[in-house]
């Protein structure tokens, strides 16, 4: 493993102008990391260790921005946080296209840029924020659940494909976190973004990150039961 990459405290966070990505960025900066954020909105963060690029992950310029962010830096951690979710409407199916492009294809495009560098430097942790909605079949937001099923499937399979390398891939399956994304009126075990960020970093920065991290774990039990009863 490359010593430079192992000791590096450099991270790229995608989709971090708000919510969990913002909380993760703050937590990393507090730990002395350098963070480069890429998001569709400007950042509230003002810190010596922080740089920000305003780019939509659906834009053709996005993979170029990720490649530039990686270039010449021994980046050790990349977290893909970008996500959207809207209620289904047959009059607004373009929202479903945007949901897949943002939640799933943005992650795939990120991986295309990040993985070759991680493998070349023989170190790196790729983390994606998925959802426990990956297991649910709902009429409320089919594109959201299906895109997150794709995210979970992709990340956990990638983790298997990279077994034996020095690169880790972690799929974070979130329950409810108190951000603008959590629109449901029923939100059991709602976490603050800061609490979710701490749990994610504990897993991602451990010596052996799990391929799947359920946050919180008891919500995964509940969604597992709900799915079993629904089928
Ligand atoms: N909150 C929950 O209960 C919950 C539960 C399960 C999973 N998750 C997942 O956790 C992740 C983070 O969600 P959150 O709760 O922190 O939501 P959030 O507060 O809405 O944050 C999402 C972030 O992604 C950015 N973003 C959205 N679309 C983008 C695009 N096309 N290009 C670039 N950046 C984009 C947003 O930018 P703007 O600031 O411009 O909106 C924002 O910074 C998402 O993937 C979400 O699906 C959240």
């Amino acid at each position: 493993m490359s010593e430079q990459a192992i000791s590096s405290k450099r991270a790229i966070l995608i989709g971090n102008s708000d919510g969990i990505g913002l909380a993760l960025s703050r937590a990393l900066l507090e730990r002395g990391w350098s963070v480069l954020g890429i998001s569709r909105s400007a950042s509230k963060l003002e810190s010596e260790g922080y740089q920000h690029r305003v780019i939509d992950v659906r834009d053709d310029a996005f993979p170029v921005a990720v490649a530039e962010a990686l270039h010449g830096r021994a980046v050790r951690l990349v977290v893909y946080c970008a996500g959207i979710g809207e209620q289904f409407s047959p009059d607004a199916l373009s929202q479903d296209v945007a949901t897949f492009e943002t939640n799933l294809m943005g992650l795939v495009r990120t991986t295309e840029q990040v993985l070759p560098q991680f493998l070349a430097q023989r170190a790196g942790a790729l983390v994606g924020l998925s959802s426990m909605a990956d297991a649910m079949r709902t009429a409320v937001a089919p594109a959201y659940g299906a895109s997150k099923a794709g995210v979970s499937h992709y990340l956990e399979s990638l983790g298997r494909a990279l077994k034996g390398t020095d690169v880790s891939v972690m799929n974070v399956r979130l329950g409810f976190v108190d951000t603008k994304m959590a629109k449901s009126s029923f939100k059991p075990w709602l976490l603050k973004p800061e609490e979710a960020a701490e749990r994610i970093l504990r897993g991602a920065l451990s010596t052996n990150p799990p391929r799947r991290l359920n946050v919180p774990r008891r919500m995964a039990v509940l969604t597992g039961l709900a799915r079993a009863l629904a089928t």
Side-chain angles (χ1 to χ4, degrees):
M1 257 192 263
S2 138
E3 285 302 322
Q4 197 199 3
I6 296 167
S7 57
S8 138
K9 288 175 109 184
R10 290 176 199 276
I12 298 175
L13 269 76
I14 297 156
N16 73 330
S17 50
D18 205 357
I20 303 160
L22 180 59
L24 280 166
S25 304
R26 286 197 172 115
L28 284 165
L29 289 165
E30 277 163 18
R31 288 166 162 82
W33 283 60
S34 308
V35 177
L36 190 144
I38 301 177
S39 208
R40 72 175 168 188
S41 301
S43 179
K44 301 162 190 149
L45 291 171
E46 282 181 21
S47 161
E48 211 179 297
Y50 188 70
Q51 293 180 52
H52 194 77
R53 310 272 183 273
V54 175
I55 300 173
D56 192 306
V57 298
R58 299 167 65 201
D59 198 291
D60 287 344
F62 172 65
V64 180
V66 177
E68 282 173 4
L70 288 161
H71 186 71
R73 297 186 179 97
V75 172
R76 191 170 120 207
L77 174 68
V78 173
V79 190
Y80 190 85
C81 314
I84 54 170
E86 298 296 336
Q87 288 207 358
F88 174 72
S89 163
D91 301 324
L93 288 169
S94 61
Q95 277 181 1
D96 286 15
V97 177
T99 301
F100 276 95
E101 286 179 352
T102 305
N103 298 2
L104 181 56
M105 287 314 297
L107 168 68
V108 180
R109 289 195 185 100
T110 301
T111 306
E112 183 188 16
Q113 302 302 320
V114 168
L115 209 47
Q117 172 151 336
F118 277 2
L119 288 169
Q121 72 190 17
R122 296 177 61 210
L126 174 65
V127 176
L129 303 192
S130 190
S131 165
M132 291 178 198
D134 64 359
M136 309 303 284
R137 308 288 180 263
T138 80
V140 179
Y144 183 75
S147 67
K148 291 301 185 182
V151 168
S152 293
H153 194 123
Y154 184 53
L155 289 173
E156 293 184 24
S157 303
L158 263 185
R160 283 175 171 73
L162 294 169
K163 191 176 170 198
T165 72
D166 298 306
V167 177
S168 69
V169 179
M170 187 171 88
N171 179 36
V172 181
R173 296 181 71 240
L174 291 161
F176 291 106
V177 183
D178 195 8
T179 69
K180 68 179 184 300
M181 165 74 70
K183 293 168 189 151
S184 166
S185 51
F186 177 59
K187 292 178 256 197
W189 300 306
L190 181 70
L191 292 176
K192 292 193 175 98
E194 294 75 20
E195 288 177 278
E198 281 305 320
R199 292 189 199 196
I200 293 164
L201 288 183
R202 212 179 302 144
L205 302 180
S206 65
T207 39
N208 197 8
R211 286 197 195 127
R212 174 187 296 179
L213 183 72
N214 289 310
V215 179
R217 220 180 306 174
R218 54 193 166 170
M219 184 69 191
V221 175
L222 188 68
T223 50
L225 275 175
R227 185 177 179 187
L229 290 172
T231 49

